Amino acid sequence: MVNHFELFNLPARYDIDRTALDQTYRKLQGEVHPDRYATATSAERLRSAQMATLVNEAYQTLKSPVDRARYLLHLHGIDTQEETNTAMPADFLMQQLEWREAIEDAHAAADIAALENLLTDLKHEAANLETQLGTTIDEQHNHARAADLVRKLRFLDKVRDETKLAIEALET
Amino acid sequence: MALLQISEPGKSASPHRHRLAAGIDLGTTNSLVATVRSGMAVVLSDEEGHALLPSVVHYLNNGKVEVGHAAQVQQSHDPHNTIVSAKRFMGRGLHDIDDIGHYPYRFVDAPGMVQLNTVNGVKSPVEVSAEILKALKARAEKSLGDELAGAVITVPAYFDDAQRQATKDAARLAGLNVFRLLNEPTAAAIAYGLDNASEGVFVVYDLGGGTFDVSILRLSRGVFEVLATNGDSALGGDDFDRRIFCWMLEKFQIPPLGPEDTRLLLTKAREAKEQLTYHQQTRITGVLSTGDVIDLTLDNDTFGKLTQHLVGKTLAPIRKALRDADIATTDVQGVVMVGGATRIPQIQRAVAEFFRQEPLNNLDPDKVVALGAAIQANVLAGNKDENELLLLDVIPLSLGLETMGGLAEKIIPRNSTIPVARAQEFTTFKDGQTAMSIHVVQGERELVSDCRSLARFELRGIPPMAAGAARVRVTFQVDADGLLSVSAREQISGVEAHITVKPSYGLTDDEIATMLQSSFSHASTDKEARALREAQVEADQLLAAIRAALEQDGDVLLDAAERAELERHMDALKSAMKEAGRDAIAYATSALNRASETFAARRMDASINRALTGRKIDDLKV
């Protein structure tokens, strides 16, 4: 059983070569995708569907910074406890409350521009945490702190989804 | 059969002669069939030279059926029995169709899908669509001189699972072998991208007769990667006709119309819409069955105002798709326009304004989908060098399960690249609970009641345990056609249940078999002959595929004993085919299939190895 990094012939690090990832993805799907086996035996079609599914799963995991970090930690035997451990520093929780209020206010005022600005802010905040993840995992090898960062990013993702939903609700 | 096959160095000889493959655009208003001939995708016309087949089916009281132009002329005379826009009813229940009063049909509320009562009996939208597909199949086979090996059929990207399943059922009913269901905007992107050697991010804006799709794709050296798709499966060019129709009623103070006059005015409305593409204004004239004379003039400005909100309705899905793909309008290389309705000037203007660039109109918006489907069909049939084209498509709507309190929990989010599989664990909430009911839904909303219900099934036989002790793993799998299957397994006891999502809205295999049977006059003998022939064709295909695989990799991947074992099963199938018993052939086919599994796995590993040159196959036992 190979792991996702091995499947893509990449070193198991947080900081990865995105161009190589994309290129290998296309190469792998070029070989295993069900479209290549439309007239093959049913054994080959089944195998192709399984492999193409696995390649998609691995690619999506490695492409997303937070999924990649979670997966790396998992390979190191660390559970990020996103469902169970919701303890967060007070300032981060305050920040969250502010964002949620901002969404509610903008939604009430039907202010799509404000929501879009918030999305940009959240994107910057996530990028900031992702940079920290890089040094924490690849250089400091501090897995406990990395797990904290993954949990924070998960919170941010949720706020982002809520913002998107608020925009969609206003647009329709 | 050719005695000698000449192949280019490095490529293995094709196991077959050129397989006839077609691309079919099954549209709301018009349908087309195309094929690749001498390396060129071409739309096939009928004997009168028409490329477009109106998607109209007329049922006559003598049991006969007319399709296309012949049916279209009956629209105003026999509106109850002349079905247009059947695509709008595919996979839909009566309660789903909110403009039911606008149609002149006698709808029948049936479990699952709505049906239509005609002089020729009650017909489901699947059967109506199958008539259109049959006509296109006949056209293709006549034009190409032989039976089709298979076809790619396009569907709106925003079609949900029920609508896709209904389309596939219609194809089976028409006797077509479906290579793949392909999303319409993706098909258009293939035709456009290959024609223009384009690279970069492209948006496909596809406004058909009854559906709207937007897809965002990254094109890169023959790879078409869909980043996001969105749309509205109940918005199309027909709605623009309807706006004109309502304006006419208002303008003229016409009393309630009968179905004949409704049909007449809708046709007039469509003609007016088409006129306004090329003219500033148009005159609408006609005589109603009451003798009332209609004479109106519609100008482009008024038409623009009447349909402004419809144009606006297409912009919201574009914004959603851009956000999901994380793409800004400035990143967009080009906007490809697809579907006859994109000829409407105010749509062209709105799209140009939104993307701040002129949209691309250099391919015929009516034909581009069928052409792309033909190219993909040709690839899937194995007629083309494999490395030229690869499609990576997505599912349009999230798939999930009902959880406590009527909430929908997403298992596979929208815009996931297919094929995809995801699993989630659930547990029991009562002590001693022995069954768990699983309700599969599709959609973005939080409440199950706002999502589309796809299927319900039960996992039974869970051994009694304390609440929360059972571990039920539910797995969702979406195949390359975008069709879902769901399985559930209790991890401790190993109890399993599996379902290919169909029951709520699709037809069961038995229903299809009954329909197929009733469509043959000499039911039983025909059915047997057909089953035998199908088994023979399948056996032939399997033998050819294994022969080709052996030629390619047999020496490297199999040892002498393994190869002999495989060949023994091949010989067994060959002798079963001589005996001509259907069951014997089917049995030998499945035995050979099983015998080839190891070989298939090794070939796949070798393929991956090829993609990652310099690595050993042994490293990749996945």
Side-chain angles (χ1 to χ4, degrees), chain B residues 145-292:
Chain B
D146 203 351
E147 217 172 294
L148 287 177
V152 165
I153 298 175
T154 61
V155 288
Y158 212 58
F159 254 19
D160 65 25
D161 198 81
Q163 294 167 304
R164 281 169 202 268
Q165 192 62 60
T167 307
K168 207 168 179 183
D169 289 346
R172 284 176 60 198
L173 206 49
L176 277 166
N177 173 31
V178 184
F179 283 146
R180 188 74 78 229
L181 296 180
L182 175 63
N183 289 329
E184 286 161 9
T186 312
I190 296 172
Y192 180 85
L194 293 182
D195 231 40
N196 297 274
S198 301
E199 299 269 305
V201 174
F202 283 77
V203 170
V204 179
Y205 181 105
D206 181 358
L207 188 63
T211 56
F212 172 67
D213 282 333
V214 55
S215 281
I216 300 170
L217 295 101
R218 179 173 285 130
L219 275 54
S220 158
R221 271 165 289 148
V223 181
F224 293 75
E225 190 180 353
V226 180
L227 301 176
T229 195
N230 214 295
D232 186 334
S233 60
L235 172 67
D238 290 1
D239 296 295
F240 288 72
D241 303 353
R242 218 166 272 292
R243 288 303 301 150
I244 298 177
F245 170 81
C246 292
W247 170 83
M248 286 158 72
L249 295 188
E250 214 172 278
K251 207 71 194 160
F252 210 70
Q253 303 285 321
I254 307 167
L257 295 174
E260 286 88 355
D261 287 336
T262 301
R263 202 57 255 175
L264 174 76
L265 291 192
L266 277 172
T267 306
K268 294 282 170 197
R270 193 194 61 216
E271 287 165 3
K273 175 188 73 178
E274 286 165 7
Q275 282 296 312
L276 288 172
T277 299
Y278 307 103
H279 306 281
Q280 279 308 307
Q281 59 176 45
T282 184
R283 198 168 152 204
I284 305 166
T285 55
V287 184
L288 298 180
S289 58
T290 52
D292 288 314

Side-chain angles (χ1 to χ4, degrees), chain A residues 1-2 6-9 22-45 47-49 51-57 59-60 63 116 119 123 160 164-165 167-168 171-172, chain B residues 19 179-180 218 220 223 225 316 319-320 323-324 326 376 379-381 386-387 389-392 414 417-422 480 542 545-546 549 593 596-597 600-601 603-605 607-608 610-612 615 619-622:
Chain A
M1 184 89 181
V2 296
E6 288 164 347
L7 182 61
F8 276 78
N9 209 7
D22 289 351
Q23 280 172 355
T24 309
Y25 173 60
R26 288 173 192 159
K27 262 196 224 165
L28 285 172
Q29 283 296 15
E31 293 290 344
V32 304
H33 195 275
D35 285 359
R36 296 277 181 265
Y37 294 88
T39 54
T41 66
S42 64
E44 285 191 315
R45 286 204 304 269
R47 183 80 179 159
S48 148
M51 289 306 301
T53 301
L54 178 75
V55 169
N56 276 336
E57 163 78 25
Y59 176 63
Q60 294 306 330
K63 196 169 73 163
E116 268 163 1
L119 268 188
K123 212 166 153 178
R160 234 150 113 181
K164 280 188 190 175
L165 277 176
I167 295 177
E168 279 175 24
E171 276 173 356
T172 41
Chain B
R19 287 163 187 261
F179 283 146
R180 188 74 78 229
R218 179 173 285 130
S220 158
V223 181
E225 190 180 353
R319 290 196 191 94
K320 274 190 218 169
R323 258 196 311 277
D324 283 352
D326 205 6
Q376 172 72 341
V379 172
L380 295 182
E386 287 189 352
N387 295 315
L389 179 67
L390 177 66
L391 302 189
L392 299 164
R414 72 178 183 209
T417 309
I418 50 174
V420 61
R422 251 340 121 70
L542 179 65
I546 293 184
N593 249 319
S596 71
E597 274 166 16
R603 270 167 54 80
M604 197 68 57
D605 290 345
S607 296
I608 295 175
R610 267 202 297 283
L612 308 166
R615 302 186 66 205
D619 294 346
L620 287 164
K621 285 282 179 297
V622 186

Side-chain angles (χ1 to χ4, degrees), chain B residues 331-365:
Chain B
D331 299 331
V332 175
Q333 204 81 27
V335 185
V336 181
M337 301 297 267
V338 182
T342 59
R343 291 196 180 93
I344 298 170
Q346 57 264 38
I347 288 178
Q348 292 279 338
R349 275 198 304 276
V351 172
E353 210 171 287
F354 186 88
F355 287 101
R356 296 200 188 86
Q357 59 179 296
E358 282 309 312
L360 303 160
N361 290 294
N362 51 343
L363 288 179
D364 184 334

Side-chain angles (χ1 to χ4, degrees), chain A residues 52-72:
Chain A
T53 301
L54 178 75
V55 169
N56 276 336
E57 163 78 25
Y59 176 63
Q60 294 306 330
T61 305
L62 297 186
K63 196 169 73 163
S64 146
V66 63
D67 292 346
R68 184 168 69 241
R70 183 184 301 117
Y71 185 70
L72 256 178

Side-chain angles (χ1 to χ4, degrees), chain B residues 353-428:
Chain B
E353 210 171 287
F354 186 88
F355 287 101
R356 296 200 188 86
Q357 59 179 296
E358 282 309 312
L360 303 160
N361 290 294
N362 51 343
L363 288 179
D364 184 334
D366 285 324
K367 294 182 180 162
V368 60
V369 168
L371 293 173
I375 295 168
Q376 172 72 341
N378 197 47
V379 172
L380 295 182
N383 292 332
K384 223 174 167 185
D385 180 357
E386 287 189 352
N387 295 315
E388 278 179 34
L389 179 67
L390 177 66
L391 302 189
L392 299 164
D393 221 316
V394 301
I395 52 161
L397 295 152
S398 302
L399 294 161
L401 282 178
E402 174 168 356
T403 60
M404 300 279 278
L407 294 178
E409 173 151 346
K410 285 179 186 141
I411 307 284
I412 302 184
R414 72 178 183 209
N415 293 319
S416 294
T417 309
I418 50 174
V420 61
R422 251 340 121 70
Q424 194 121 316
E425 252 179 41
F426 296 87
T427 190
T428 45

